[in-house]
Amino acid sequence: MARQLEEQIVGRFPVGRRLRVLDVGMGRGAQALRLARAGHQVTGVEQDAAMISAAREALAGQPEGIRDRMRIIEGQAGDTGVHFLPGSFDVVLCHGELMYVEEPDALLAGVARMLAPSGLLSLLIRNGDAPAMRAGLSGDWAGALAGFCTAAYGLKRLTSTLAGIGAPLHTWYGVRVFTDSVADDAVLPSDLDTLLAVEDRAGRTDPYRGVASLLHLCGVRG
């Protein structure tokens, strides 16, 4: 996903431009910190105290210049309008938050308002078009059957929603096409670079990306 995001940033903004980045629901701050290291001014919003502590610990170990480019705000993902003016950011990340809110359309509209004209919106969401895949790949057949009846965000609905909030879909990728069933504590393989190359290729190639566990969608503010 980091490769995909970098591809979109490089293709949209002039080389060397320092971007204003908002990471809504930043978690431990991995993406936010990576962008701060790249020279961008990053603001992360997170409500989980443990995640904030982990992000601050990671940030504390960085050189002063990087620490100065990143700030962390404790708050809910839906409260961006409380903290920021509309159009305040060139790039807005919302990675995973839509999976855990009751009204994702409202959250999407709120984060899209934070984008400046021609700004980039990066979303990571569970793939509602393939909810049976994860259970099926792990041998959970009852779960796979239930997945066929699950109503969730799919590409078609997300495309319509993004158009409606003024940030039409520019491009999309699949994330975790082949590796979603791998345990979190699994030992990294010796050919990790090859694995990543395969996932990167599958995430941008039909029909593979359509059955990925997650979707990475990039919209652009009109």
Side-chain angles (χ1 to χ4, degrees):
M1 189 181 65
R3 294 182 184 183
Q4 297 161 359
L5 180 59
E6 181 65 18
E7 178 179 83
Q8 292 304 310
I9 289 175
V10 169
R12 175 149 300 276
F13 301 102
V15 176
R17 176 176 168 182
R18 293 196 171 186
L19 302 172
R20 302 164 297 167
V21 180
L22 174 63
D23 190 350
V24 180
M26 69 169 186
R28 297 175 179 273
Q31 293 295 332
L33 189 54
R34 186 183 64 81
L35 291 169
R37 289 195 193 104
H40 305 303
Q41 194 71 38
V42 183
T43 301
V45 177
E46 176 58 55
Q47 64 177 335
D48 185 276
M51 294 291 185
I52 291 173
S53 178
R56 286 178 172 158
E57 182 177 352
L59 182 61
Q62 301 298 311
E64 181 179 358
I66 294 174
R67 296 199 305 270
D68 290 343
R69 287 196 295 271
M70 182 172 163
R71 65 170 175 154
I72 298 171
I73 294 177
E74 184 174 357
Q76 297 184 357
D79 292 340
T80 51
V82 175
H83 301 290
F84 316 109
L85 293 174
S88 296
F89 298 93
D90 304 301
V91 178
V92 174
L93 314 182
C94 188
H95 294 166
E97 282 298 300
L98 295 176
M99 304 177 192
Y100 307 108
V101 297
E102 294 183 0
E103 299 182 8
D105 286 357
L107 176 57
L108 267 177
V111 298
R113 281 195 291 271
M114 298 299 103
L115 282 171
S118 299
L120 177 67
L121 176 62
S122 174
L123 304 174
L124 184 70
I125 187 167
R126 189 173 291 112
N127 184 2
D129 293 327
M133 284 296 295
R134 184 170 194 171
L137 289 173
S138 64
D140 177 7
W141 309 122
L145 279 175
F148 288 116
C149 303
T150 300
Y153 261 97
L155 181 62
K156 184 176 180 180
R157 182 180 171 188
L158 281 164
T159 300
S160 176
T161 300
L162 289 172
I165 61 176
L169 182 66
H170 173 65
T171 193
W172 67 279
Y173 307 88
V175 177
R176 295 184 184 176
V177 178
F178 299 118
T179 58
D180 190 57
S181 60
V182 177
D184 292 338
D185 59 353
V187 177
L188 293 177
S190 58
D191 57 347
L192 179 61
D193 288 343
T194 304
L195 182 155
L196 292 174
V198 169
E199 281 286 348
D200 182 52
R201 180 73 174 270
R204 61 183 72 235
T205 303
D206 292 324
Y208 306 102
R209 62 177 181 166
V211 295
S213 174
L214 305 172
L215 298 178
H216 180 201
L217 299 98
C218 299
V220 175
R221 187 72 171 174

